[in-house]
Amino acid sequence: MFLRVLILATFIASAVTPMEAAEQSIDDTGRQIVSTPTPTPHRKKKSRKKRSPSASPVRVKKKTASPSPSQEEEKSPSPSPSETASLPTPAASGVVAPTSTVSPSPSEMPAPQKSVLPQNKGLGAPNVTLSPEAIANFESYPPKVQKLLTSALELTTRNLDYKYGSADPANGGMDCSGFVYYVLNQNGVAPYVPDDSKDQYIWLRSAGTFEPVVSGKDDSFELKELKPGDLLFWSGTYSIERDPPITNAMIYLGREKKTGARVMVGASDGRTYQGQQRFGVSVFEFKMPQTENSEAYEGRERPRFIGYGHIPGLNE
């Protein structure tokens, strides 16, 4: 009996040992599974498409449709170093970047040069100037008249153009009444001088110093009282509706010493000297307008000389 119990105990002990070993193996495997982190499955990387290289690594400047000289072009921000590194360079890709032409800024562009004196634009002959010594008996003129005519003749040396509406030589030219207004004011001949030929005519008519001329002859007795420094008036030199219809005014110089012809000074867009038209501030011949039957005025209005007026106090 004892022997059977001993054999049974031995059998149970031998069976238990492999089972414990198996359980220990199972426990070790479980621990390894728990302690070892499960690897995160990696996503497959998508291949990025290569960007085509730009013409230049710097972004193109934005231009407005019609920039004004005071406006500057806005620059777009340059790419960061990381962006530049990721972009393929033209050299690496084998593409040659075209040379971009950058327009100069308004401050770099040369300013247009203005001519000091205006040109006559190819119209007519050059303007004419005379020295006071070229006028007969100039030295016998009253001092105020000499001063007035000397300043008027000085303007003829500046190659000034005819510029309608201007009474300032700084504008590059003047019109007829603007010339008279400027010269008379420059010499202080009166407290008030009108700036329009019509008003200048009314000024002298109101002062009682105007001499009307009806005749169309250069040797008319109506010109007997004409004196250097007087203002000369015409109507019909251009088409305009005004009352009285005065359209042109000049300053009488006297007679030219060399030719004996009457001469005047002012601004005109076509009066003549020695038979040639002049356009601007110049010396001109003083002649009566041609007759109505003249071919020169066929089909258009004919200028008519109205008369002349003495500037109050000038010949004293």
Side-chain angles (χ1 to χ4, degrees), residues 27-65:
D27 291 340
D28 292 342
T29 302
R31 290 192 190 97
Q32 290 179 357
I33 292 172
V34 172
S35 62
T36 303
T38 304
T40 304
H42 293 283
R43 297 179 181 177
K44 293 184 180 181
K45 295 184 179 180
K46 296 182 180 180
S47 60
R48 295 184 180 178
K49 293 183 180 180
K50 292 184 179 181
R51 298 179 184 176
S52 57
S54 59
S56 173
V58 181
R59 294 180 183 177
V60 181
K61 295 179 181 180
K62 294 181 180 180
K63 294 184 179 180
T64 56

Side-chain angles (χ1 to χ4, degrees), residues 9-119:
T10 301
F11 176 77
I12 293 171
S14 62
V16 169
T17 299
M19 289 180 63
E20 290 178 352
E23 290 177 359
Q24 184 176 2
S25 176
I26 292 170
D27 291 340
D28 292 342
T29 302
R31 290 192 190 97
Q32 290 179 357
I33 292 172
V34 172
S35 62
T36 303
T38 304
T40 304
H42 293 283
R43 297 179 181 177
K44 293 184 180 181
K45 295 184 179 180
K46 296 182 180 180
S47 60
R48 295 184 180 178
K49 293 183 180 180
K50 292 184 179 181
R51 298 179 184 176
S52 57
S54 59
S56 173
V58 181
R59 294 180 183 177
V60 181
K61 295 179 181 180
K62 294 181 180 180
K63 294 184 179 180
T64 56
S66 56
S68 61
S70 60
Q71 292 175 338
E72 294 183 359
E73 295 177 353
E74 297 180 358
K75 294 182 179 179
S76 300
S78 302
S80 63
S82 59
E83 290 176 345
T84 306
S86 63
L87 292 174
T89 61
S93 60
V95 178
V96 179
T99 303
S100 59
T101 304
V102 180
S103 302
S105 62
S107 60
E108 295 175 351
M109 295 181 67
Q113 298 295 324
K114 294 182 180 179
S115 58
V116 177
L117 296 176
Q119 303 300 318

Side-chain angles (χ1 to χ4, degrees), residues 206-218:
S206 300
T209 61
F210 183 80
E211 300 287 344
V213 175
V214 178
S215 174
K217 297 180 179 180
D218 291 326

Side-chain angles (χ1 to χ4, degrees), residues 78-263:
S78 302
S80 63
S82 59
E83 290 176 345
T84 306
S86 63
L87 292 174
T89 61
S93 60
V95 178
V96 179
T99 303
S100 59
T101 304
V102 180
S103 302
S105 62
S107 60
E108 295 175 351
M109 295 181 67
Q113 298 295 324
K114 294 182 180 179
S115 58
V116 177
L117 296 176
Q119 303 300 318
N120 285 334
K121 303 175 184 178
L123 297 176
N127 294 341
V128 177
T129 184
L130 289 176
S131 65
E133 293 76 17
I135 299 173
N137 303 318
F138 185 85
E139 64 280 358
S140 65
Y141 290 177
K144 290 182 180 179
V145 176
Q146 290 188 33
K147 181 184 176 184
L148 177 74
L149 299 185
T150 299
S151 63
L153 289 170
E154 189 276 329
L155 290 173
T156 65
T157 66
R158 303 189 192 182
N159 190 30
L160 297 171
D161 200 0
Y162 179 85
K163 183 169 288 188
Y164 184 80
S166 172
D168 189 349
N171 295 330
M174 292 182 281
D175 63 11
C176 63
S177 58
F179 177 89
V180 172
Y181 172 82
Y182 179 84
V183 173
L184 268 57
N185 274 285
Q186 188 182 41
N187 290 274
V189 299
Y192 166 74
V193 178
D195 60 357
D196 182 82
S197 59
K198 172 181 68 71
D199 296 327
Q200 291 163 357
Y201 165 81
I202 294 173
W203 171 46
L204 297 186
R205 281 293 300 266
S206 300
T209 61
F210 183 80
E211 300 287 344
V213 175
V214 178
S215 174
K217 297 180 179 180
D218 291 326
D219 59 353
S220 171
F221 75 94
E222 294 176 319
L223 298 175
K224 185 172 63 174
E225 298 299 322
L226 181 60
K227 298 176 182 179
D230 286 351
L231 300 188
L232 311 170
F233 296 97
W234 287 262
S235 67
T237 53
Y238 62 92
S239 180
I240 189 173
E241 292 185 6
R242 50 168 49 182
D243 186 20
I246 305 300
T247 58
N248 188 225
M250 292 270 175
I251 300 176
Y252 181 60
L253 290 173
R255 290 186 180 269
E256 188 177 1
K257 186 181 293 184
K258 183 178 180 180
T259 63
R262 290 191 181 102
V263 286

